[in-house]
Amino acid sequence: MAILRYNPWAEMTTLQRQIDRVFDDLQVQTFKTPAAELTETEDALHLKLELPGVSAQDVDIEVTESAVKVIAERKLEHKEGTRSEFYYGKFQRVIPFKAKIQNTNVTADYKDGILNLTLPKSEQEKNKVVKVNLEIPTA
């Protein structure tokens, strides 16, 4: 008969793996936010949002003068015997703006999971000019 050395850490590792498997099965969906890209030009703000796997009918866009709110939902496509790491459920993102926009003239385009919003600036923002006086110090 061989003498085996007792290793208490081996039992702890086994227990940790079992606990991890339990929590993997009970994983709660967390709130996700889509990635965004904002570009500012002289006349407008251009916003791109990634919404992969979301159909256009499942996207809701609300625009105010100072922010945009996008809510979308990816529908669950559960198949028997499939383990998925995809996120299903609601996505939400609120993006505030520094410049005021004309929320009545916003245009949207949705193609290949990318939402493109063109947000024209208000006339006040386009014509905003600030005069700076340069004072020369006397010696």
Side-chain angles (χ1 to χ4, degrees):
M1 177 190 259
I3 298 176
L4 296 175
R5 190 169 283 208
Y6 176 69
N7 183 357
W9 296 113
E11 290 180 16
M12 292 296 288
T13 304
T14 304
L15 180 62
Q16 181 67 42
R17 285 188 197 133
Q18 289 173 349
I19 291 171
D20 287 344
R21 271 190 242 125
V22 167
F23 283 107
D24 284 343
D25 294 339
L26 298 175
Q27 202 171 37
V28 177
Q29 289 185 348
T30 56
F31 189 73
K32 300 287 183 179
T33 58
E37 179 178 284
L38 183 64
T39 306
E40 185 173 356
T41 62
E42 189 174 312
D43 296 330
L45 299 173
H46 301 279
L47 178 65
K48 285 184 180 181
L49 284 167
E50 285 185 337
L51 300 171
V54 177
S55 63
Q57 327 49 303
D58 296 328
V59 178
D60 184 28
I61 305 165
E62 299 173 9
V63 182
T64 65
E65 288 183 338
S66 58
V68 65
K69 179 179 182 180
V70 178
I71 302 170
E73 184 175 3
R74 185 188 298 172
K75 303 289 184 181
L76 179 64
E77 300 173 5
H78 186 69
K79 297 177 185 171
E80 192 64 34
T82 301
R83 180 182 168 129
S84 177
E85 293 182 354
F86 287 172
Y87 175 79
Y88 294 100
K90 287 198 176 221
F91 296 81
Q92 181 175 329
R93 185 78 190 255
V94 177
I95 300 173
F97 304 125
K98 292 180 183 177
K100 291 193 177 193
I101 60 165
Q102 296 176 9
N103 58 342
T104 56
N105 295 331
V106 175
T107 58
D109 177 41
Y110 187 67
K111 184 178 179 186
D112 297 332
I114 304 292
L115 174 64
N116 291 299
L117 295 175
T118 302
L119 307 144
K121 290 182 181 178
S122 69
E123 292 299 321
Q124 294 170 332
E125 292 294 323
K126 287 186 203 175
N127 297 329
K128 189 185 278 185
V129 177
V130 178
K131 181 159 175 71
V132 177
N133 289 328
L134 180 64
E135 293 182 22
I136 302 172
T138 57

